[in-house]
Amino acid sequence: MMLALGGRCGPSLAAKWRAAAPAASSSLGRYRLSVASQSSTSSPSPSPSQGKNKFRETVLLPRTDFPMRPSGRELLEKELQIQRECGFSELYSWQRNRKGKDFCVHDGPPYANGNPHVGHALNKILKDITNRFQVMRGSRVHFVPGWDCHGLPIELRALAEFGEETKTFSPMEIRQKAKEFAKKAIERQRAAFIRWGVMADWDKCYYTYDKQYEAKQLRVFHKMFDKGYIYQDYKPVFWSPSTRTALAEAELEYNQQHISRSVYVKFPLVKPPSTLTLPTGDANALIWTTQPWTIPANQAVCYMPNAQYSLVKCLNTEELYLLGTDCVESIAAILGTQFEVLQTVTGRDLEGAVCCHPTIPGRESQLLPANHVTMVKGTGLVHTAPAHGMEDYGVASHHKLSVDCLVDEDGLFTEAAGFELQNKYVLNEGNETVIQMLHGANMLLKEVEVKHSYPYDWRTKKPVIIRSSKQWFIDTASIKDRAQELLKKVQVIPQSAMNSMLAMLDRRTYWCISRQRCWGVPIPVFYHKETAEPLINKYTREHLIKLVEEHGTDCWWTLPLDQLLTKEVLKKSGGSDVSNYVKGEDVLDIWFDSGISWSHVLEDTNNIADVYMEGKDQLGGWFQSSLLTSIAAQKQLPYRKLVVHGFTLNEAGEKMSKSVGNVVDPDVIINGGQDPNQNPAYGADVLRWWAAESNVFTEVLIGQNVLHAARDDVFKLRNTLRFMLGNLYDFDPETDAIPSEQMLIVDQYMLHLLQDYSTKVTEAYKEYDFGKVIRLLMAFINRELSNFYFSIIKDRLYCEDEKNPKRRSCQTVLDEALDVISRSMAPILPHLAEEVFQHLPNIKEPMSVFRTGWIKASSVWKKPGIVEAIEGASAIRDSFLSSIPGKNSTEYDVTIIIEPSLLLELMEQLQGEQISSSSQLNELMMASHTTLLTSVPRDLPIDTNFIEGKFVINLEGGDIIEESSYKIIVQSATKEKCPRCKKYTSSSALTPCPRCLEAIAGKWST
Ligand SMILES: [Zn+2]
């Protein structure tokens, strides 16, 4: 007999939570209904029958005041309240005062020149997740946040509002304005970092303008100087005419769209190679350059010693050219002509040849061998201007050529370049004039525009040039081998980043550390007025460091020279008259400033951190400068591990920039924008969830869609937690918990899964794979908890007697699961985790989740043996549910037929009797009755439908594999619907079923 669906008045609660194969969201949706109705009325059933309502009053529905879905003001105030009440600001010092092993994350200092942005959020939150995990694991976390405070970018921003007036400022005026600017930026950033929930002692940060820091920096400088790693030299460096200073590689941005005017130029051979036989007329070496303005500084033409070179005749002009054999065809095509090859020789045969300079009469250029020449671009012969190229400089040092520079600090040709060029800017007018001069001398064969990657000043966004000047350098070539050797011992996550680090060390043979600015730490050197000889030794050093410790580096500009270089110091240094000296005017590169942070911040951890954790742009920046200074000064690594994350882009995959107006502001993410529909207030936890998910090496997208998805995940998690809290209101773990071996099998199975989850999630944290933490967490709450466990235990939770061990058994699981889930998410969502802990029932004094340790999953929970029983039953249930799509499973009785086998034995563990409405097997089936048989009953009607299925049992790690088949018969429930539990287990629709009668005995009487 089948009960008509229309027989029920509206969907009852019980029917709703027993719907077949519920999805996670809808099952929580149903739960929402039940809690909402509980708060509005004591009778949740919409049934019109008063008699039935009275039974419903005895159903044990969840109770909790844990809010469901706080938003807007409520959400923000809640987070701030939690930060205050759960001691966010005291957590760092609390954990520092414990006993335990130190764990040190060294904070790479953000630059103190602007507002907090999502790049900061990603970086600081990833560090904080690491730190909070370590605190919960019992480590004493060492984390001192810092700021990078010196340098040109701050100087420029600080002076921007003063316009022309800045030219009248003294160095001290500039320094004061820059410092004020940096301080304000630091305050804004600090406030944001605190709001994001980043754990630290925010009153004890480090600042690169702090006088103790500056003094440490000078000590490292001197240590490296004493070891011979720091030297002064005149050589080509990247030079920014727009900011009149030298720049390091890390201060450049490469513009892939830069257009240069490239030229093909003849260099007439005045002394041809002896191996060439010239038929008639003069021959010309043919060169190509993208920087015509460097031709006046030409000192040589370089060739590849092992390559082939050809003497060709141009069929248009009859002129003879010398060029790389591999380039003959392509160059002829570019010049719009054809070449007849007259003779081919090997590069080294060109030795001893000399050409004359194309524009400077009487100047000669030798043909010289060089390793950097290739045939890939150009003519195979390379114009060499030692003042304007790093490789050119290498050739010049080897062959003792002049490195004289004809370009001044503003990028203008000097007087020495000749009256035609003097005072012309090399990148436009100067370039044009050189091209005109080549043309006038009949040395220009062709001009072609090329689009190529070209270095720009990272701050002014204007092109830089390479220009030789007198600078201070670190001899990175001498540090490189040791650095590479030690770096290989560092664990780099991801491993692929290691190769970039190693390759960058190879490429970098020296590091220019002097800058011609004043907002920074002075290079502590005096120069003799006449000889320009630098004066720097242990006497000048000790005196200056003492002054800096007392006054900060301002003293370099405020104290008179005879106090910086006292008579006593000068005497010990072998000098006599202070008036013979001047102090240096250069400051140190800010990458040196931040690179030595290990010497100041890591003093109490032996100058080494467990982890440096930064964006991938630091592979060539702070990771390198820290490594190089540490290896040079202390012969050891500054870090044991490097964790590298990606950088942030907006949702369209574009770089965010103020000028484009596509910046995603973390303050708007947290607090919402002017239009709450467009920019809702997400709060700090959603921002943190996004950061955790985004812990990847590649680009990280952020925008409304990503944030929306993050918020949905956090809501799902919140509702799962709320379900567990709501069903624990009458549960005291001290007195009510059931030992795991006495639990129902499905409950033991859940503990087994919980143990497995705990192990995996802990491992993922240890591997810094927070995205994996989130995937594991969401899979566990959606699949194992919401979809599976919660849907089957609701009958037990709500309808059994409150003290029934079966109910206590699943409450014990919920209690453990709540604890495990809360702890496992706490490093990512500290606000939500603390909120859960504030709402735990049966706790006298709420404790901070961060002060009570990590997950305490017990290995006793691990019971692989029961997995097959539950999974076997679940497979059978899935067969059953898929045969009644959209129907309520309690409207059916199920008969399961399994011939004697391992599967049958497992099912018999779940149901001892032949037919049951209360067995564990029936609970898993979510039916009203389950019958377990070993053979098909003989008296079945002939039209009976069987559902057939197979299940593979895998025991003892694969040693026992057995495939068993099963048959299911699904029939409409034969009994009447119980008015209390809504299962079809009652003899009359007016009387509760026997189970329910027992549960309400003494509490309610008909
Ligand atoms: Zn009942």
Side-chain angles (χ1 to χ4, degrees):
M1 186 196 78
M2 179 157 177
L3 279 171
L5 271 172
R8 286 183 283 122
C9 301
S12 78
L13 187 73
K16 284 193 148 220
W17 28 267
R18 289 206 192 79
S25 53
S26 57
S27 88
L28 287 168
R30 287 192 294 281
Y31 164 58
R32 246 176 254 138
L33 252 185
S34 70
V35 176
S37 54
Q38 187 206 17
S39 59
S40 57
T41 158
S42 60
S43 170
S45 169
S47 163
S49 156
Q50 280 305 309
K52 285 181 184 177
N53 276 349
K54 285 180 188 168
F55 294 118
R56 297 295 293 157
E57 282 169 19
T58 65
V59 172
L60 304 168
L61 290 175
R63 282 183 216 161
T64 179
D65 53 1
F66 184 78
M68 190 149 55
R69 202 181 161 107
S71 63
R73 260 307 92 223
E74 186 196 354
L75 167 76
L76 301 177
E77 274 163 18
K78 188 85 212 164
E79 281 192 346
L80 292 172
Q81 183 198 346
I82 286 169
Q83 293 196 351
R84 283 192 307 273
E85 291 178 1
C86 300
F88 272 45
S89 56
E90 297 91 45
L91 183 61
Y92 184 80
S93 49
W94 172 82
Q95 60 90 34
R96 278 308 288 167
N97 290 326
R98 295 184 300 177
K99 286 198 177 91
K101 200 169 159 275
D102 265 329
F103 180 85
C104 176
V105 176
H106 181 28
D107 189 33
Y111 206 55
N113 78 329
N115 287 327
H117 53 70
V118 286
H120 293 136
L122 179 65
N123 179 259
K124 283 289 187 290
I125 291 170
L126 292 177
K127 286 173 185 162
D128 192 56
I129 292 171
T130 304
N131 287 339
R132 286 178 179 271
F133 170 67
Q134 290 292 340
V135 165
M136 293 178 79
R137 298 272 290 168
S139 301
R140 290 171 74 235
V141 167
H142 182 289
F143 176 71
V144 182
W147 276 273
D148 198 358
C149 311
H150 287 134
L152 185 62
I154 291 172
E155 198 178 315
L156 291 179
R157 291 281 301 275
L159 300 180
E161 59 179 297
F162 298 99
E164 282 298 299
E165 197 191 343
T166 52
K167 289 187 179 155
T168 65
F169 289 165
S170 69
M172 268 316 289
E173 282 174 307
I174 293 172
R175 284 172 62 88
Q176 274 156 5
K177 289 189 165 61
K179 188 167 189 174
E180 280 312 305
F181 181 87
K183 273 187 168 169
K184 283 182 195 155
I186 289 168
E187 282 322 307
R188 288 194 303 274
Q189 292 185 15
R190 188 204 317 265
F193 300 165
I194 292 172
R195 179 63 187 87
W196 301 340
V198 178
M199 178 192 72
D201 183 345
W202 291 104
D203 296 328
K204 287 185 189 147
C205 302
Y206 75 95
Y207 310 92
T208 59
Y209 59 38
D210 183 76
K211 49 193 180 185
Q212 297 305 327
Y213 190 100
E214 292 177 327
K216 291 269 171 48
Q217 188 173 343
L218 291 181
R219 284 197 190 282
V220 175
F221 178 91
H222 279 283
K223 239 183 219 173
M224 291 175 63
F225 183 84
D226 289 347
K227 291 183 178 181
Y229 291 126
I230 293 180
Y231 62 98
Q232 196 190 24
D233 201 356
Y234 182 83
K235 64 167 139 189
V237 293
F238 288 108
W239 184 274
S240 172
S242 53
T243 46
R244 302 183 90 242
T245 183
L247 295 178
E249 182 73 40
E251 293 166 308
L252 304 174
E253 277 179 4
Y254 282 84
N255 177 358
Q256 308 297 330
Q257 306 298 321
H258 183 84
I259 304 238
S260 288
R261 297 173 70 179
S262 81
V263 288
Y264 291 86
V265 178
K266 297 188 286 187
F267 275 64
L269 282 158
V270 288
K271 185 181 167 206
S274 52
T275 47
L276 282 187
T277 32
L278 295 179
T280 51
D282 296 331
N284 302 278
L286 206 55
I287 68 100
W288 174 72
T289 177
T290 60
Q291 309 299 318
W293 61 269
T294 61
I295 287 185
N298 177 280
Q299 296 287 341
V301 172
C302 289
Y303 58 84
M304 276 171 88
N306 295 326
Q308 298 292 301
Y309 286 84
S310 293
L311 182 71
V312 300
K313 184 158 114 184
C314 173
L315 296 188
N316 286 1
T317 61
E318 307 258 304
E319 282 185 316
L320 302 181
Y321 305 135
L322 177 66
L323 74 167
T325 306
D326 288 350
C327 308
V328 168
E329 275 186 33
S330 58
I331 299 296
I334 289 167
L335 300 180
T337 183
Q338 282 182 310
F339 288 157
E340 180 193 343
V341 177
L342 304 178
Q343 193 184 346
T344 294
V345 296
T346 302
R348 67 179 69 81
D349 294 333
L350 304 179
E351 195 183 335
V354 178
C355 15
C356 66
H357 191 281
T359 60
I360 305 171
R363 168 88 70 82
E364 291 188 340
S365 268
Q366 299 174 61
L367 265 68
L368 295 172
N371 294 328
H372 67 277
V373 180
T374 73
M375 295 284 168
V376 179
K377 276 181 191 163
T379 62
L381 290 173
V382 173
H383 147 62
T384 300
H388 303 296
M390 318 302 182
E391 283 133 344
D392 310 43
Y393 173 79
V395 174
S397 347
H398 196 253
H399 296 279
K400 310 253 175 315
L401 304 178
S402 161
V403 190
D404 284 350
C405 184
L406 305 174
V407 179
D408 72 9
E409 293 167 350
D410 290 308
L412 308 179
F413 276 117
T414 60
E415 196 181 350
F419 73 95
E420 271 177 285
L421 293 170
Q422 189 182 356
N423 289 331
K424 288 181 177 168
Y425 183 48
V426 297
L427 289 182
N428 47 42
E429 211 189 345
N431 212 27
E432 167 65 21
T433 308
V434 170
I435 293 171
Q436 287 308 325
M437 289 165 77
L438 288 168
H439 188 68
N442 193 29
M443 293 297 159
L444 180 69
L445 280 180
K446 175 109 180 169
E447 184 190 330
V448 183
E449 279 195 350
V450 289
K451 186 155 78 176
H452 63 143
S453 170
Y454 191 87
Y456 277 53
D457 184 324
W458 67 329
R459 285 296 144 186
T460 59
K461 314 286 179 202
K462 295 205 170 119
V464 304
I465 57 175
I466 294 173
R467 170 182 176 270
S468 60
S469 62
K470 205 162 199 181
Q471 302 290 346
W472 287 89
F473 296 91
I474 292 177
D475 176 13
T476 43
S478 315
I479 308 169
K480 182 195 80 177
D481 289 346
R482 181 87 181 123
Q484 285 182 329
E485 184 191 321
L486 288 177
L487 185 63
K488 285 175 189 157
K489 296 181 181 162
V490 173
Q491 190 196 351
V492 182
I493 301 173
Q495 177 61 30
S496 57
M498 169 76 88
N499 293 336
S500 332
M501 286 278 293
L502 290 171
M504 281 182 208
L505 282 170
D506 257 333
R507 276 206 299 278
R508 189 176 205 173
T509 54
Y510 55 86
W511 170 12
C512 174
I513 51 166
S514 44
R515 295 292 179 275
Q516 289 64 53
R517 308 298 303 193
C518 61
W519 181 226
V521 172
I523 293 187
V525 186
F526 304 96
Y527 299 95
H528 193 273
K529 272 182 183 168
E530 278 158 29
T531 63
E533 197 61 33
L535 175 66
I536 171 171
N537 57 44
K538 62 180 176 182
Y539 308 110
T540 62
R541 165 179 71 206
E542 284 315 315
H543 180 64
L544 282 174
I545 286 175
K546 220 180 283 167
L547 288 177
V548 168
E549 276 170 344
E550 194 179 335
H551 308 283
T553 53
D554 278 351
C555 68
W556 190 253
W557 288 271
T558 54
L559 292 182
L561 185 63
D562 60 3
Q563 284 187 42
L564 297 172
L565 183 59
T566 61
K567 262 188 191 152
E568 206 187 356
V569 170
L570 193 57
K571 200 174 152 198
K572 283 181 188 161
S573 309
S576 54
D577 191 350
V578 73
S579 66
N580 288 335
Y581 290 90
V582 288
K583 67 181 181 201
E585 291 191 335
D586 295 345
V587 295
L588 282 160
D589 178 13
I590 48 169
W591 289 103
F592 190 83
D593 272 35
S594 58
I596 63 90
S597 58
W598 52 264
S599 74
H600 181 71
V601 186
L602 305 181
E603 248 185 336
D604 43 1
T605 61
N606 298 322
N607 290 347
I608 183 162
D610 289 290
V611 184
Y612 275 36
M613 192 177 205
E614 303 296 329
K616 63 185 192 181
D617 48 337
Q618 300 305 331
L619 287 173
W622 190 58
F623 289 154
Q624 291 269 342
S625 59
S626 300
L627 177 71
L628 289 167
T629 52
S630 176
I631 302 280
Q634 59 171 2
K635 288 190 181 150
Q636 71 164 37
L637 289 162
Y639 37 69
R640 297 189 179 95
K641 197 175 283 188
L642 287 179
V643 180
V644 193
H645 61 78
F647 53 87
T648 51
L649 299 175
N650 73 3
E651 262 175 350
E654 297 156 349
K655 209 174 163 183
M656 286 178 264
S657 91
K658 249 195 200 133
S659 53
V660 182
N662 61 355
V663 176
V664 180
D665 182 348
D667 182 57
V668 174
I669 294 173
I670 291 183
N671 296 309
Q674 285 181 335
D675 176 1
N677 290 322
Q678 211 175 358
N679 291 303
Y682 288 105
D685 269 1
V686 169
L687 180 68
R688 294 177 65 100
W689 184 266
W690 162 80
E693 267 188 312
S694 309
N695 184 22
V696 290
F697 189 49
T698 51
E699 291 79 5
V700 176
L701 304 184
I702 189 159
Q704 287 302 320
N705 294 329
V706 180
L707 290 166
H708 223 83
R711 183 175 62 173
D712 285 350
D713 280 347
V714 176
F715 275 144
K716 250 182 229 170
L717 187 52
R718 169 176 273 279
N719 278 314
T720 307
L721 295 161
R722 185 164 179 266
F723 177 87
M724 295 192 270
L725 281 170
N727 283 297
L728 289 168
Y729 66 91
D730 65 341
F731 180 81
D732 182 350
E734 296 278 317
T735 53
D736 300 331
I738 302 283
S740 65
E741 66 279 6
Q742 293 169 25
M743 286 179 169
L744 299 198
I745 291 175
V746 70
D747 298 338
Q748 295 186 32
Y749 171 73
M750 285 314 294
L751 288 187
H752 171 81
L753 293 182
L754 208 51
Q755 206 275 341
D756 183 56
Y757 166 75
S758 305
T759 310
K760 284 181 178 153
V761 86
T762 306
E763 238 2 80
Y765 271 114
K766 282 190 193 165
E767 287 163 6
Y768 299 83
D769 195 346
F770 309 138
K772 189 173 177 186
V773 169
I774 285 186
R775 289 192 299 278
L776 289 166
L777 175 61
M778 292 312 285
F780 195 79
I781 66 151
N782 282 330
R783 202 173 55 212
E784 322 296 3
L785 291 179
S786 288
N787 285 3
F788 173 69
Y789 192 58
F790 293 173
S791 62
I792 62 165
I793 59 169
K794 280 176 183 162
D795 179 66
R796 245 201 284 168
L797 273 175
Y798 299 167
C799 299
E800 294 293 350
D801 176 64
E802 61 178 314
K803 294 197 172 61
N804 187 315
K806 283 162 77 177
R807 183 164 178 273
R808 293 302 193 207
S809 173
C810 66
Q811 280 184 313
T812 309
V813 172
L814 292 183
D815 188 55
E816 297 289 4
L818 178 65
D819 193 73
V820 168
I821 298 292
S822 303
R823 289 183 200 280
S824 71
M825 72 184 196
I828 298 171
L829 303 174
H831 302 88
L832 182 57
E834 292 287 27
E835 196 181 347
V836 170
F837 266 56
Q838 285 186 326
H839 285 84
L840 288 180
N842 294 306
I843 297 277
K844 286 174 200 85
E845 189 88 10
M847 279 283 278
S848 161
V849 61
F850 296 101
R851 301 188 186 201
T852 51
W854 186 237
I855 300 170
K856 297 171 197 76
S858 163
S859 56
V860 176
W861 295 355
K862 219 170 158 54
K863 284 184 184 148
I866 60 174
V867 171
E868 297 296 316
I870 300 299
E871 290 185 353
S874 298
I876 298 171
R877 179 189 58 171
D878 290 347
S879 300
F880 159 50
L881 294 180
S882 58
S883 75
I884 50 160
K887 298 277 175 53
N888 175 2
S889 59
T890 51
E891 289 170 14
Y892 300 92
D893 291 345
V894 179
T895 303
I896 302 166
I897 303 143
I898 308 170
E899 286 176 12
S901 62
L902 202 47
L903 182 62
L904 178 68
E905 283 171 36
L906 292 175
M907 294 307 106
E908 281 172 346
Q909 287 177 21
L910 297 169
Q911 177 165 319
E913 57 274 61
Q914 197 174 69
I915 178 162
S916 176
S917 63
S918 59
S919 71
Q920 300 184 54
L921 185 59
N922 188 60
E923 180 179 64
L924 281 159
M925 292 302 133
M926 295 158 67
S928 279
H929 287 90
T930 297
T931 306
L932 184 61
L933 301 174
T934 54
S935 62
V936 179
R938 272 187 237 145
D939 52 350
L940 280 178
I942 33 170
D943 58 347
T944 302
N945 267 337
F946 291 99
I947 303 157
E948 294 185 42
K950 282 195 171 89
F951 182 72
V952 179
I953 295 171
N954 198 334
L955 284 182
E956 312 286 331
D959 285 348
I960 303 174
I961 295 179
E962 188 181 300
E963 190 183 77
S964 302
S965 47
Y966 56 84
K967 288 193 175 77
I968 309 170
I969 304 167
V970 179
Q971 291 166 302
S972 297
T974 49
K975 292 216 165 186
E976 297 292 328
K977 185 166 152 190
C978 167
R980 181 168 178 269
C981 70
K982 311 288 178 188
K983 279 166 77 177
Y984 290 77
T985 46
S986 188
S987 49
S988 148
L990 298 173
T991 336
C993 68
R995 185 273 306 265
C996 285
L997 281 176
E998 199 179 317
I1000 61 179
K1003 291 175 195 146
W1004 193 88
S1005 60
T1006 51

